[in-house]
Amino acid sequence: MKTRLVSFVFSMAVFVSAFLLFQIQPLISKSILPWFGGTPNVWTTCLLFFQSVLFGGYVYAHLLTQKLTPKWQAIVHSALLLVAIILIGIVPDESWKPTGAEPPVFRILCVLMASVGLPYFVLSTTGPLLQAWFGNTFPGKSPYRLYSLSNTGSLLALISFPFVFEPMVATSELSNWWMLGFLLLATLCCICGWLAAFANPTQHNEAQLAVVEEPESTLTGGNAWQWFGLSMTASVLLLATTNQVCQDVAVIPFLWVVPLSLYLLTFILCFDSDRWYSRLQYGLFGAFSIVLVTFVMFDSAGTSLTLQLVVYFGALFVCCMVCHGELAALKPEPQRLTAFYLTMSAGGAAGGIFVAVIAPLIFPLFLEMHLALAVCAALTVGVYLNANGRREEQDQMPVWGHLGAIGAVISLLMSLQSNASATIRDAKEVQRNFYGVLKIEEQQDLDPAKNRRKLLHGRILHGVQFMALTKSHIPTTYYGVDSGIGRVINVLRERTDPLKVGVVGLGVGTLATYGEPEDVIRFYEINDSVVQLAQEYFSFIKDSKATTEMVLGDARLMMEREEAQAYDLLVLDAFSGDSVPAHLLTKEVMHVYQRHLKTNGVLAIHISNLHFDLRPVAAALVEDAGLHFTIARGVGDAETAQVSNLWLLASKDDATLQHPSLLELAKPAPENRVLWTDDFSDLFSVLK
């Protein structure tokens, strides 16, 4: 009975530790996401931090168990837990908000270190440390089942965050619950440490003798590099897939959690039992899934959102099963588990460093996905051929099958290389930074007057301008004279002249073409590369008759800090892409917008979007603020490069919105309302 109780305490400590470890990741990441423009690289950088601190925690656990006696291990770790409790604080202080001038990656790492660095480090040490203590307390029992239990706790934490905690509990309240959980964990860890320290000395002697009598350790240089390489491959694929999906869909916790959950699930299955992983089957499935991902990457615009997610996540699961299945097959005896975990965590951290830091410096595009697919293709085919070679001779694949598999990998690699090369070759300029990949492309026509230049962010169109001087002043895409924004500018000019206009999201500066002498148009843009390309390759800003001003940084943070601007018109134009910065559409930020608007000013929200119906969100936002609104739909026109567009126009002055030119474009208001706040924002509720 006593043995069962002690075993239960260890199991509880491992489970709670893993749950807290992976609950804090989306919690803190979501808290700081609005500070850095809602870009997918915020999550990638957070994962880099988590993986690096995890490695540090494993180093600590390894050194503690190798250099100190069980009694001193308990003393040192209890002291560390006490310090962590005294200094604990989860939600970062407002003083850590960026100014817009500092490097975002470095700033994010500093914010995370200051807010959750020590608690996360302590949690990172708990898994391997408790398993080592378990081995001391119960010599002869394998601790690897605790590793599976740890991953189960991690998986439950990730799944519960977007489906249970995020929609039901405010972020501030959830952080308080998390701190209570940390207190429980500290208590359990101290109990486990002292149980291991005062375990029967005879058991320790027997355990030591077992180590001496063990055959030579499997910890060889070759094994260590295999552990490292397989862990790094899986980590790179996880981060590259998350980046790819968030770039094309949305930066929301659900799309952080699903790939990380699948990644952990493969750990659980592979380390729980050998029966879950078949080299032959997963080698074959892996190669097939990579082919499907390649096709989706080549035609993402023509592939439905659901199918993209299924293909990307399916390939991630299968390839991680291969990596972690091979890793589990190479695991050493329990006495070497801290070195094993240490090497695995080093590989995971190296993958995070590569994707978050190195890849943006050396790759002009998101080529880390291409690289991860290439490595996984070679790995899955190699695993399949290896498994096939171990079968009975009559069941083996013939030589031509081997050659075909190798040829398929080579063809896949050539296709990926060709895709990347074509993207770079067809662009006049390509730039990549923390906020994504920007491309300048030129479209030639038989009629020179129709030649045009466009700016793309990933595959999202940010603006178009005719290259002919006679047409370069024409407002294009979503901003034509017959669009909602074009008409409301003309309506405002009838009552007010000159105009002061604020624009959130520069694009190529198309709205500057509406400027008249004495007008002031103030652009807010977080990406300095967008500013550079808009001014270098497009003439909307340069040729504008208005005075144009540029504010570099996240629009919400910049507007919170500056004096009231008294805008006649405030334009929110950051939502046409699939990656929606939800922090710009919450109840709290609406107070900021109203402070900068004149009493009868107009708020114009561009809600054209391929995957999300933002009408219920925008309508709820302005109604909650006491504004009247109308929804205006503009139609496309190929001759002037206009595309169909949807604008929500809101104002306290209903007479402005009832102008005949706006009523011509008016569409019915949505039946439902979805009010977002900084604590609650659910994109899936408005998924088309």
Side-chain angles (χ1 to χ4, degrees), residues 337-415:
L337 64 85
T338 54
F340 178 55
Y341 293 148
L342 179 61
T343 308
M344 283 199 306
S345 65
I353 292 171
F354 177 79
V355 173
V357 179
I358 298 176
L361 297 177
I362 64 175
F363 294 148
L365 305 173
F366 282 114
L367 297 182
E368 50 268 38
M369 188 68 180
H370 293 68
L371 179 62
L373 291 175
V375 173
C376 288
L379 177 64
T380 54
V381 171
V383 164
Y384 176 77
L385 295 179
N386 181 279
N388 183 75
R390 297 183 181 185
R391 301 166 73 192
E392 296 294 332
E393 187 173 345
Q394 63 271 20
D395 296 329
Q396 289 183 6
M397 179 191 291
V399 175
W400 62 264
H402 292 184
L403 295 176
I406 295 171
V409 173
I410 294 174
S411 298
L412 177 64
L413 299 182
M414 292 177 64
S415 297

Side-chain angles (χ1 to χ4, degrees), residues 24-36 42 46 49-50 87-98 107-117 119 171-172 175-176 179 557 679:
I24 194 62
Q25 293 186 15
L27 173 60
I28 186 65
S29 302
K30 182 186 177 184
S31 297
I32 67 171
L33 182 67
W35 294 5
F36 299 92
V42 173
C46 288
F49 172 83
F50 298 139
L87 300 179
I88 194 168
I90 303 305
V91 178
D93 188 81
E94 295 285 315
S95 62
W96 281 104
K97 286 186 176 182
R107 187 70 170 189
I108 291 172
L109 295 178
C110 290
V111 171
L112 294 174
M113 183 60 72
S115 56
V116 298
T171 302
S172 55
S175 66
N176 292 332
M179 287 188 282
L557 294 181
D679 277 335

Side-chain angles (χ1 to χ4, degrees), residues 22 112 137 144 161 209 228 264 319 322 368 431 464 468 490 497 499 538 571 612 623 632 651 683:
F22 280 85
L112 294 174
T137 309
Y144 281 111
F161 185 84
L209 182 62
F228 182 89
L264 285 174
C319 291
V322 173
E368 50 268 38
Q431 287 192 16
V464 172
N490 290 330
D497 197 15
L499 294 175
F538 301 87
V571 183
F612 300 102
E623 280 188 339
S651 177
L683 272 170

Side-chain angles (χ1 to χ4, degrees), residues 473-489:
H473 64 285
I474 296 176
T476 58
T477 58
Y478 317 101
Y479 319 103
V481 292
D482 285 326
S483 66
I485 190 65
R487 292 198 178 187
V488 80
I489 289 175

Side-chain angles (χ1 to χ4, degrees), residues 244-251 255 305 309 578-580 611-612:
Q244 187 81 20
V245 170
C246 286
Q247 192 72 30
D248 286 347
V249 183
V251 189
L255 293 182
L305 172 62
L309 296 180
D578 300 337
S579 183
V580 176
H611 295 306
F612 300 102

